Amino acid sequence: MGVALIHDVPVLEAQPDLRHTLKQRHMTMIALGGVIGAGLFVGSRVVIQSAGPAASISFLLTGLLVILVMRMLGELATAMPTIGSFYEYARIALGDMAGFLTGWMYWYFWVIVVALEAIAGADLIRFWLPEVPQWLLALTLMLALTVSNLFSVRSYGEFEFWFASIKVAAIVVFLVLGGLFVAGMWFTPGPGLANLTGHGGFAPNGILPVLTGAVAATGFYFGAEIVTIAAAEADEPARAVAKATNSVISRVLLFYVGSIVLVVAIIPWNSATIVTPYVSALSAMKIPAAAQIMNAIILTAVLSALNSGLYASSRMLFALTRNGHAPALLARVSGNGVPVAATLAGSGFGFVAVFMSYVSPDTVFAFLVNSYGTVALFVYLLVAFSQLRLRRRLEAENPERLVVRMWLFPWLTYVAIAGMLAILAAMAFIPDQQLPLLMGAGSLAIISCGYGLIRRRQPLPV
C-alpha cells in the first residue's frame, strides 16, 4: 500500500497484497455484528442495576456518540479505503506519532478482547460440559478461530456473517416477542409499562447514575468500526462501507435502546433476576428452555467477538508494518492473501493473556482488563480529530470523493469530541471508573515510549 499526496490530499492506493473477497452481505453483517456483543446480553445488567429503567437513556446517549463516530469513519473510509483505516487517517492528519498510537492502541484493545472472549466462551460451554477444564475450552476456541482466520479472509467473512446473523435474528425475535408481551398480546398477561415507573420511578436513583451508566456503556458499542478496516478487502469498498455504516446508524438505537426498554418493562429493575436480564425476560414470558437459548446466543456473540478480534488485530498489525511501526516480518502474506504472521502474533498475545488470567489474575491480567476499555475511547477521540482535519482537505481538493458526508460538519464533530472528553473527565470522578482511566493512561504512556524507541532507530517516514 502506498500513500500519495495530490495537492496535499491523501489518496490511499489499493492494497495489492490482500484479496478483495468480502461481499456486501459480509460487510453489512460485520458492522451489525460488531455492535451487538456479549456486553448487551450480559453487561447491560450493571447499567440497569444502577440507573433503573433510565438505563435506556444511558445507552441512548452513548449510542448517539458512537453513531457520530461511525459517520465520520464512513466518510473517510468511502473516500480512502485502506488496510488500517483510521490508523492511516490519524497518521496523515495528525502526524506519525498519532498514527502509531492509534494503531497500537487498537491492536492492544482487540488482543485483550480475544483473551477475555475465549475465557467467557469457555465458561459458557461449561454450562453444558461442566467436567471439561476451562483452560482447555479456551485454548480450543482460540485455536479453532485462529485456523479459520488463517484460511482466508472469506472464511472470516462467512463466519462473521453467520455469527452476526444469529445475533441479529435473536434481537429481532426478542423485540417482537417482548413487544407483544408488554402490549398484553402474549399467551400470558403482560406487565404493560408499569415496571418503567412503578419501582421508585423511571430514574429511581437520580440523574447521576444515568450519566455514569453512559460512561460504562461506552465499551459495549465498540466494534462497529471493524467494517472500515475490512473495506480494503471488499470487492466494492466505497459502496460496501457506505451501506454498512448506514445500517449501523439506523439499527443501533433499535437493537440496544429498544431491547433495554423491553427488559426493564418485563422485569423490575430492582429484581434479583435482573442479574441475567435477557434470560429472566424470556423466563417471565414462559419461553421454554430460556437459559439454554440465551446461553447459546451469548456464546455466539462471544465467538463473534473472538473472530472479529483476531481479524481486526491482524489487519491493524499488518498496516503498522508499512510505515516501520511494527517489525517487517509481520507483513508476510500467504498465498491466499492472509497476513499469517500478524494473525499468529495477535493470537499468541491472546494465549499469553489467557495464561496470565490463571497465573497472575490480580496483577498482570487485572492491568490488561482495566486498561483496554479506556484505550478504545482514546482511539475514537483520535478518529474524530483526524476526520476534522481530513474533511477540510478533501473538501478543498477532492470533494467528489466525499460520497458519505458527516452531518452538520464541523459542529457535530465538535460535539462528538466534547462528548468523549466529557466521558474521560467523568471517569476521574466515578469511583468504579477511576482505575480503568488510570490503567488506560498507563497503557498510553507505555505505547508512547514504544514510539520513542523505534524513532531512535529509524527516521520518520516520508
Side-chain angles (χ1 to χ4, degrees), residues 14-16 18-23 153-154 231-237:
Q15 176 54 258
L18 305 180
R19 304 289 177 82
H20 296 186
T21 56
L22 291 174
K23 304 299 181 182
V153 67
R154 179 69 66 86
E233 295 178 84
D235 54 3
E236 298 179 85

Side-chain angles (χ1 to χ4, degrees), residues 55-139:
S56 56
I57 304 299
S58 301
F59 280 93
L60 175 62
L61 292 174
T62 306
L64 291 173
L65 183 60
V66 172
I67 283 173
L68 293 180
V69 175
M70 282 302 299
R71 186 69 179 189
M72 295 179 214
L73 279 173
E75 175 183 280
L76 295 177
T78 52
M80 302 175 288
T82 179
I83 286 291
S85 182
F86 39 87
Y87 154 68
E88 281 292 346
Y89 307 148
R91 191 181 70 84
I92 295 168
L94 306 174
D96 194 61
M97 184 175 182
F100 181 92
L101 293 176
T102 301
W104 277 108
M105 284 192 296
Y106 193 72
W107 180 86
Y108 175 73
F109 171 86
W110 278 113
V111 293
I112 301 306
V113 167
V114 164
L116 293 176
E117 300 296 348
I119 294 169
D123 285 337
L124 291 166
I125 294 175
R126 291 188 75 205
F127 179 82
W128 297 295
L129 302 172
E131 71 282 358
V132 181
Q134 184 197 49
W135 68 266
L136 180 59
L137 292 173
L139 176 66

Side-chain angles (χ1 to χ4, degrees), residues 369-455:
V369 171
N370 282 310
S371 62
Y372 83 110
T374 307
V375 161
L377 194 57
F378 290 156
V379 171
Y380 271 0
L381 193 57
L382 286 169
V383 166
F385 280 116
S386 300
Q387 186 268 341
L388 192 63
R389 178 165 293 186
L390 289 178
R391 166 65 178 267
R392 288 177 173 136
R393 295 170 67 179
L394 284 166
E395 281 185 327
E397 301 291 343
N398 294 84
E400 71 281 357
R401 296 171 64 190
L402 290 168
V403 179
V404 175
R405 291 174 178 263
M406 178 61 182
W407 306 297
L408 298 177
F409 179 83
W411 305 112
L412 284 183
T413 299
Y414 289 138
V415 168
I417 291 172
M420 286 182 278
L421 290 175
I423 289 174
L424 289 172
M427 291 176 73
F429 298 96
I430 301 172
D432 290 344
Q433 298 294 326
Q434 288 171 349
L435 184 59
L437 178 62
L438 181 62
M439 296 297 100
S443 299
L444 179 61
I446 292 171
I447 296 172
S448 299
C449 291
Y451 178 79
L453 290 175
I454 69 163
R455 281 296 155 250

